[in-house]
Structure formats: C-alpha cells, structure tokens
C-alpha cells in the first residue's frame, strides 16, 4: 500500500468558471495539485456532471447569473470577488463561500502563487474546510475574512495597487514628454515597495511634501500648469502626506 | 610594476557634505571604491585641505550657502538635488555639476547601489568626466541629464515613489480600522511593480476604474463617506484611470 497515493479519491475536484485573468491564473495554480476544469461561463462547457467545488471567477455583476445556472451541479460554490457579499450565492448550492486572492492578475505575467494571500469565507464548516484546503494547495498564506473585512481589503488594494499603477502611468506620461523611458523608474519603484517590509508607510515617506519643502512643491505645480488632473492629484496627495507628517510630529 | 595598483594617485578623492539619508548612503556606496570623507555641512569638519570632488548633499535651500563656504576648497563641486539648477553652484569652483541618484533613501534601509540610475550634468568636460567616473564606481546605470530633464525625472519620481508610499499609507489606515496589518498587501504591491517590467502602466492597469465598474466604485465611495481627503483621492485617480482607458479604447 502506498500511503501517499495520489488517487482520484484524494484529489480535490475543482471547476473554475470564467475566462478572464483570475480564472486563467487559478486554473494554472491548481494544475497538478487538484483535478481542475476551466469552465466556459456562458455555456458551462467543461463542467463535470458533479463537482466538489465550483469557483466562479467572472465580473461582479455576472456572479448571480452564473450561480443560478450552477444550481444542483456542485456541493460547494464560491466566488473570487473582493466586493460581492457571499449571500449573492445563496440558493445555488448547499454550501457556499468566497475564495478571494489579494493579488493583481494580468495575462502572460507569471506569479509566485505561494505568496498570494487568500481570504476565505464560508456558510458553514464544510465550505470553510474545503475552501481552506483548496487555498492551501496553492498558497502559504490562507486567512479567514468575512464580507465586511474583504470589502475593506479590496478598497485598500485599489489604493495600494490600482492607484499605484496609475501613478506609474503618470510618471510615464511626464517622462515621455522628454523622450525618457519610464523603466528608468523601476529601481526606485522596487525600493519604494521593499522599504515597506521594514518601515511603516509613515516612516518610509520621503519627498518634498513630508519635508514641507514648499519651494519644490510650487515649482512642481508650475510644471503641471495646464494639466488640471495631474495638478489636482499632486495637490491632494501632497496635502495628505503633509497632514500625516504633521500628526506624527504633533504626537 | 602593477598596472592595476590601487595607489592614492589612482583613487578619486571625494568629500560628501551632508548628514542626511542621501549623504550617508553615498558615503557608504563609495566606501572601498574611492577615498571618501563625510563632511559636516555646518562646520565643514572632515573636509580635506583640497578635494578633487566635493558632493553637496543637503536640503535644497541650503545648497547655495554650503557652496559659498566651499569656495577654493575643491576642483569640482556638485550637488545631488533633483530640483535645483546646476547654476546654484556658480562661482564656488572652476568645475561644477550635478550628481543625481534617482532613488529613495531611508536610514537603516540597505540598497543595491549598482541598480540606482545616476544622472550627471556638468559645466564642462572635466566635471562631466569626473562625475561620470565617480557614478560608475557605484552604479551600472549612469546617464547624462540637463537641469530641465532632471526636474522632469524628479517630479515623475514624486508621483511614482512619494505618492505611491502615501497610497500604501492610506491602505494601512483603512486596514488598521479592522485590525489588519498592511503587510498583507506587500505581495500585491511587489507584483504591481514587477508587472511594469513587462507591461506598460496602461497595459498593467486592473481594478474597477479601468473596467468601468460603477457599482464597485460607488460602493467604495460610500465606504469613504466622511473622509473628504480619501474620497477626493479615490475620485481623482479613478477618473484619471477611466480617461486613460477611454483614450486607449478610442485609438
């Protein structure tokens, strides 16, 4: 007898419904670790007769519709959205839950899945247990989070990831005006993030706003004259940095 | 005879005037590669009788004052500021220049100096040659940049680095409300930056604003109600992301 046999009986049977970046990456991450099917969200082509776990990974406003079509096809149904409550899945399976990876997924960009934090919510012990086991197949960082906490994580991720990418886009726009490549900024960007492993964001803050260097800030705003969007972003974020620095000093 | 001898004659004699993060890091980076002195910016204690190269690394508004005190003490005087024109050093030495590292320096946070881009400006061939040689002792990325280009690099760095750190601070603030540690965001932040090695910022953009997901954005703004600063930052950056996405689609 082989005690570590990899028979179908021991292998979790997971269907991932979706065709976007998250679905594609999840299927890849589970590959070789579970019996995984990638299922077309419109036709449900590829869905086994009965799945242990179906993970719906589609746009937020399509989750309910896909869930309705899955009724009776799976023991456990979960979605991967940061913003949608678990209750959106009510009625589509006996056990429901959420399987939320805190990460930004782009096609053709590889990821170290082990480092991705997964946040799990479940309607009962069964869904929590199976979703946690599934997440642990991929990642070393699996935590519980109810819908309220997940929403908070999601909005924090919008600030820390989506908006950070937008700032890199602004740097790109400014540098392109002088024929410079934004890639010259990458070591600086890497260091900006690396510092946050050992310093808090307040401790790590550098630049004219935290120094209260009005001369430099005025010169920058002069450079941005005529571009209302960038001027407003510069003003708002500088004011936020100044006010945090002032609070820190006042403590 | 030893053709690669490391006699004092071959070693560049560099004095760094300053006591802040940049001065401290530069002295460390040159250590073992040049004959380097760290000089007190107020008393000039530690300044050799005659230096080949003096690098002034003090706050922008103190550069002129320090430069005046250095008159006759060095062959070449340069500063490290992104925002101050080279002309601020006029009259303090025969050869003047700028030695601008595009990086964020914090005390007690180590750096891979080789990866830091250095931008060099000089008043003549001598200063350009010596400053370039000095930068090459530290870094593999040494480029010329006049004062106008350097100002552009500096404002781009404020967006890409200082404002990114501020966004991490906002994520921290939001997560702390629920007792969560912002370090849970670090894999996401690392990936946000890593993606920019292979995708442009426009290609790498993810999140509700680029998807035009008004439901999620409205829910986020509701969560931010009562916090005018964060609401305004959310609105402004989302609008910027949407407008870039619309331009891209329209092309």
């Amino acid at each position: 007898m082989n005690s570590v046999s990899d028979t179908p009986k021991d292998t979790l049977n997971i269907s991932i419904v979706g065709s976007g970046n998250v679905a594609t990456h999840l299927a890849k991450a589970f590959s070789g670790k579970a019996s995984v099917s990638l299922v077309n969200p419109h036709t449900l082509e590829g869905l086994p007769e009965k799945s242990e776990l179906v993970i719906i990974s589609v746009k937020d406003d399509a989750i309910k519709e896909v869930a309705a079509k899955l009724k009776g096809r799976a023991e456990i149904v979960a979605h991967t959205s940061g913003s949608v409550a678990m209750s959106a899945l009510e009625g589509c399976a006996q056990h429901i839950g959420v399987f939320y990876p805190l990460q930004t997924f782009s096609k053709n960009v590889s990821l170290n899945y082990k480092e991705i934090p997964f946040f799990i919510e479940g309607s009962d012990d069964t869904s929590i247990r199976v979703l946690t086991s599934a997440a642990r197949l991929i990642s070393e960082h699996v935590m519980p989070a109810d819908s309220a906490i997940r929403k908070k994580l999601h909005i924090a991720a919008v600030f820390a990831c989506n908006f950070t990418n937008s700032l890199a886009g602004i740097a790109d726009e400014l540098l392109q005006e002088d024929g410079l490549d934004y890639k010259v900024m990458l070591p600086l960007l890497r260091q900006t993030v690396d510092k946050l492993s050992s310093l808090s964001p307040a401790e790590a803050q550098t630049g004219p706003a935290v120094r209260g260097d009005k001369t430099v800030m005025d010169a920058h705003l002069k450079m941005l004259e005529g571009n209302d969007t960038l001027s407003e972003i510069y003003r708002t974020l500088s004011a936020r940095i100044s006010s945090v620095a002032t609070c820190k000093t006042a403590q």
Side-chain angles (χ1 to χ4, degrees), chain A residues 35-175:
Chain A
S35 167
V36 60
S37 328
L38 190 57
V39 177
N40 183 305
H42 305 291
T43 61
L44 296 191
E45 197 187 320
L47 186 71
E49 202 42 53
K50 189 87 188 173
S51 303
E52 271 175 278
L53 170 60
V54 172
I55 297 175
I56 302 175
S57 188
V58 299
K59 282 192 177 179
D60 285 3
D61 51 13
I63 290 175
K64 274 200 171 189
E65 192 192 325
V66 172
K69 288 195 284 182
L70 287 168
K71 202 168 177 171
R73 301 290 293 271
E75 290 173 38
I76 304 167
V77 173
H79 70 65
T80 59
S81 167
S83 305
V84 174
M86 179 172 68
S87 58
L89 302 176
E90 265 166 17
C92 81
Q94 194 186 339
H95 313 284
I96 57 173
V98 181
F99 189 81
Y100 175 54
L102 187 67
Q103 190 48 278
T104 169
F105 297 91
S106 288
K107 255 175 193 145
N108 306 321
V109 176
S110 65
L111 272 169
N112 184 0
Y113 299 112
K114 276 196 297 187
E115 286 191 3
I116 300 175
F118 275 81
F119 291 90
I120 302 299
E121 183 176 8
S123 58
D124 55 15
D125 287 350
T126 303
S127 52
I128 291 171
R129 185 175 43 77
V130 175
L131 287 168
T132 303
S133 302
R136 285 194 182 140
L137 292 175
I138 299 178
S139 166
E140 291 170 357
H141 305 279
V142 181
M143 286 153 280
D146 64 21
S147 291
I149 295 260
R150 195 173 60 254
K151 274 182 195 169
K152 195 57 91 62
L153 287 163
H154 189 234
I155 192 172
V158 168
F159 278 98
C161 164
N162 304 152
F163 289 172
T164 287
N165 187 79
S166 165
L167 293 177
I170 293 170
D172 185 23
E173 179 184 325
L174 291 168
L175 294 174

Side-chain angles (χ1 to χ4, degrees), chain A residues 175 180-189:
Chain A
L175 294 174
L180 293 161
D181 188 337
Y182 78 94
K183 288 196 175 164
V184 79
M185 291 279 155
L186 289 179
L188 174 62
L189 266 166

Side-chain angles (χ1 to χ4, degrees), chain A residues 6-17:
Chain A
D6 194 25
T7 62
K9 211 180 157 187
D10 298 317
T11 309
L12 194 61
N13 186 309
I14 306 174
S15 299
I16 296 160
V17 183

